[in-house]
Amino acid sequence: MTDAATNTPTGPGSTKPREEWTGQVGFILAAIGSAVGLGNIWRFPGVAYENGGGAFLIPYLVALITAGIPILFLDYAIGHRFRGAAPTAFRRLGGPRGRWLETLGWFQVAIAFVIAIYYAVVIAWAMSFFVFSFDLRWGDDPAGFLLGDYLHVGDPGFSLEFVPGVLIPLAIVWVATIVVLAAGVAKGLQRANVIALPVLLIAFLVLVIRALFLDGAAEGLNALFTPNWAALGDPNVWIAAYSQIFFSLSIAFGIMITYASYRRRRANLTSPGLVVAFANSSFEILAGIGVFATLGFFAFEQGIAVGDLEGLTGVSLSFITFPAIVAQMPAGPIFGALFFGSLTLAGFTSLISVLQVVSAGIQEKLGLTPRTAAIGLGALCALLSIVLFSTTTGLLALDVTDQWANNIGIVASAVLMSILVIWVFRRGPELRQHLNAVSTFKVGRIWVLLVGLVAPVVLGYMLISRIITLIVEGYGGMPGWYLGIFGWGTVALIVIIAIVAWLIPWRESPDEFAAWPAVPEASAETRSEVTR
């Protein structure tokens, strides 16, 4: 019989010990590696600049404390207490009368599946541009090079005209991802992050320090950090802050539930969570400094103000504006290699965490080994990724799919999770006591209030306003039929996957399970399971 306090009565199939991180440092590095991704580098600086500059840090910190960290703790508590990937954890949380809650877990798994398919393509682009940096292959026209010479972007539609320059690095990304996932939690995920994260940090620090000594860097930093206090009166600025925090912490779509489930029973949760949250925000601010110091140099070279520059966020910032800057700056090839190398590492550590959500869910449902799941799942993802996103229509499909999967799928997942866990199944007090029983940093009743009230209200407003905007205004000037297939069709696909996966029989039932530790406020339903 396993010791419920020290060992890990594993998920489904309790005869097998559950995989674990080797220690707290490994878990923290993996969690930071998941949170620090492409959005930290190419999204935060532009969002901060467009929403009040230095003043944006106030709603940003408020959003971090009132929604980001509370939901992060909620993910940790669910994964750690119920010892499984998202479907297993939610099924156990639902108890005998709430087994259907497993569908919420599969909803999160389906979101991760969709995101992984297109996220890998951006990493492939970054890998290509890392190579292009050494001879500045984009020349004097980075936009024309990206859209024409490299991606061969066509009209909205579905094409099977593959672009070799994208297909080859994309295949490499998937091979590397499968190798990491097949090696398991400690030898794969943890080891990859232990190696990649320090390299990423050092490379990015070198890049930022170099940027600070460029002509015009001070003007760039002034543009970013000069506060516009009037912006604090604009509700959209606060929504932008909550949105940035929410998307950058890798919360509410299964990653942190899965990662926390690999921690030992007696493992501190909240203090490492604070480390992860503030490390992620620190990297975002570091990225803001590096990006805007560089943009200041670019504006200085052109004799214009930073505010007159275009392409300050997303794909445009990384693959058009930055190459243009690199072409003009001293030692440009080295600077370009550092930037795109950092982008590749940040993206890869996030990709493996996203795909682990899917892999772990399948392993537990079908009784597969990590290697079998990684190979089967990785091959399917690689095929879909190549067919959909390495063609001449790949950029447009990626853009639309990302909009709907993130702004509708993940936000809906967070709202549903908060309402169902806190209000319908009333597990807030139990999860709070679980966090406090194993952690050094205790959370008070206000945590339940933040998770159960503030988060769903703010995120619910974001979700509804975004749905209305997409319905009324469309997106990117693209035709309605295209948005119907790649936008709303993505949401429909996620829902269908969630329902179908729930209906598939378990190889071994996950319901014979004892939650640990026992807590006074656990529902009678939970206690009956514990004593089973």
Side-chain angles (χ1 to χ4, degrees), residues 88-179:
T88 305
F90 281 115
R91 181 182 174 93
R92 288 171 172 167
L93 185 149
R97 289 188 296 275
R99 300 300 186 207
W100 58 268
L101 197 58
E102 179 190 334
T103 54
L104 177 58
W106 287 114
F107 185 76
Q108 297 188 346
V109 167
I111 292 171
F113 176 73
V114 170
I115 291 176
I117 289 172
Y118 69 76
Y119 199 84
V121 184
V122 184
I123 301 170
W125 297 351
M127 285 176 60
S128 296
F129 274 68
F130 172 80
V131 176
F132 299 159
S133 297
F134 292 100
D135 59 2
L136 302 179
R137 200 167 303 178
W138 46 78
D140 298 328
D141 182 17
F145 176 81
L146 173 69
L147 303 177
D149 298 342
Y150 180 58
L151 295 178
H152 303 287
V153 175
D155 295 326
F158 179 73
S159 167
L160 287 178
E161 185 180 347
F162 294 100
V163 180
V166 177
L167 193 154
I168 294 171
L170 182 56
I172 295 173
V173 169
W174 280 114
V175 170
T177 303
I178 292 171
V179 169

Side-chain angles (χ1 to χ4, degrees), residues 115-388:
I115 291 176
I117 289 172
Y118 69 76
Y119 199 84
V121 184
V122 184
I123 301 170
W125 297 351
M127 285 176 60
S128 296
F129 274 68
F130 172 80
V131 176
F132 299 159
S133 297
F134 292 100
D135 59 2
L136 302 179
R137 200 167 303 178
W138 46 78
D140 298 328
D141 182 17
F145 176 81
L146 173 69
L147 303 177
D149 298 342
Y150 180 58
L151 295 178
H152 303 287
V153 175
D155 295 326
F158 179 73
S159 167
L160 287 178
E161 185 180 347
F162 294 100
V163 180
V166 177
L167 193 154
I168 294 171
L170 182 56
I172 295 173
V173 169
W174 280 114
V175 170
T177 303
I178 292 171
V179 169
V180 170
L181 294 185
V185 172
K187 295 181 179 178
L189 289 167
Q190 179 174 313
R191 187 170 293 174
N193 280 285
V194 167
I195 296 172
L197 208 58
V199 174
L200 167 64
L201 184 59
I202 293 171
F204 207 76
L205 272 175
V206 171
L207 187 150
V208 172
I209 293 171
R210 176 68 185 92
L212 289 174
F213 289 95
L214 293 170
D215 292 333
E219 284 71 22
L221 296 179
N222 286 335
L224 175 61
F225 289 116
T226 299
N228 173 16
W229 299 114
L232 297 182
D234 183 354
N236 290 324
V237 171
W238 290 84
I239 294 299
Y242 275 88
S243 176
Q244 177 61 34
I245 284 294
F246 183 72
F247 291 126
S248 69
L249 272 178
S250 295
I251 52 179
F253 65 112
I255 295 177
M256 292 306 162
I257 290 177
T258 306
Y259 271 23
S261 75
Y262 296 130
R263 297 221 64 190
R264 293 171 181 163
R265 287 287 200 185
R266 295 183 185 278
N268 196 348
L269 294 178
T270 54
S271 296
L274 293 175
V275 172
V276 171
F278 285 106
N280 177 65
S281 294
S282 299
F283 192 90
E284 287 195 321
I285 294 173
L286 181 68
I289 293 171
V291 168
F292 268 81
T294 311
L295 291 174
F297 163 77
F298 192 42
F300 174 81
E301 288 291 302
Q302 298 187 65
I304 61 176
V306 173
D308 295 327
L309 293 173
E310 296 180 350
L312 301 183
T313 61
V315 172
S316 296
L317 171 69
S318 298
F319 296 100
I320 296 177
T321 306
F322 249 88
I325 297 171
V326 167
Q328 294 187 20
M329 66 189 305
I334 296 175
F335 198 86
L338 284 174
F339 177 77
F340 289 110
S342 298
L343 210 59
T344 302
L345 288 175
F348 185 72
T349 53
S350 295
L351 174 65
I352 56 178
S353 71
V354 172
L355 207 63
Q356 179 64 21
V357 174
V358 190
S359 178
I362 293 174
Q363 287 174 42
E364 294 174 6
K365 185 89 179 190
L366 303 179
L368 302 178
T369 65
R371 176 174 299 182
T372 304
I375 294 174
L377 173 66
L380 175 63
C381 288
L383 177 65
L384 293 173
S385 188
I386 288 171
V387 169
L388 292 173

Side-chain angles (χ1 to χ4, degrees), residues 32-101:
I32 293 174
S34 173
V36 173
L38 301 174
N40 296 66
I41 298 174
W42 75 17
R43 190 173 190 273
F44 172 79
V47 170
Y49 171 72
E50 293 169 355
N51 291 280
F56 180 76
L57 295 179
I58 292 176
Y60 178 82
L61 286 174
V62 171
L64 175 66
I65 293 170
T66 60
I69 292 175
I71 296 179
L72 181 67
F73 285 176
L74 178 63
D75 274 352
Y76 282 179
I78 293 172
H80 192 251
R81 182 161 185 78
F82 297 102
R83 313 300 291 167
T88 305
F90 281 115
R91 181 182 174 93
R92 288 171 172 167
L93 185 149
R97 289 188 296 275
R99 300 300 186 207
W100 58 268
L101 197 58

Side-chain angles (χ1 to χ4, degrees), residues 1-22 79-84 92 185 258-267 364 434 512-516:
M1 181 177 178
T2 56
D3 179 352
T6 56
N7 201 347
T8 51
T10 158
S14 57
T15 56
K16 302 174 185 175
R18 186 168 185 76
E19 290 189 283
E20 291 181 344
W21 309 106
T22 59
H80 192 251
R81 182 161 185 78
F82 297 102
R83 313 300 291 167
R92 288 171 172 167
V185 172
T258 306
Y259 271 23
S261 75
Y262 296 130
R263 297 221 64 190
R264 293 171 181 163
R265 287 287 200 185
R266 295 183 185 278
E364 294 174 6
H434 179 88
E512 296 295 327
F513 169 76
W516 182 91

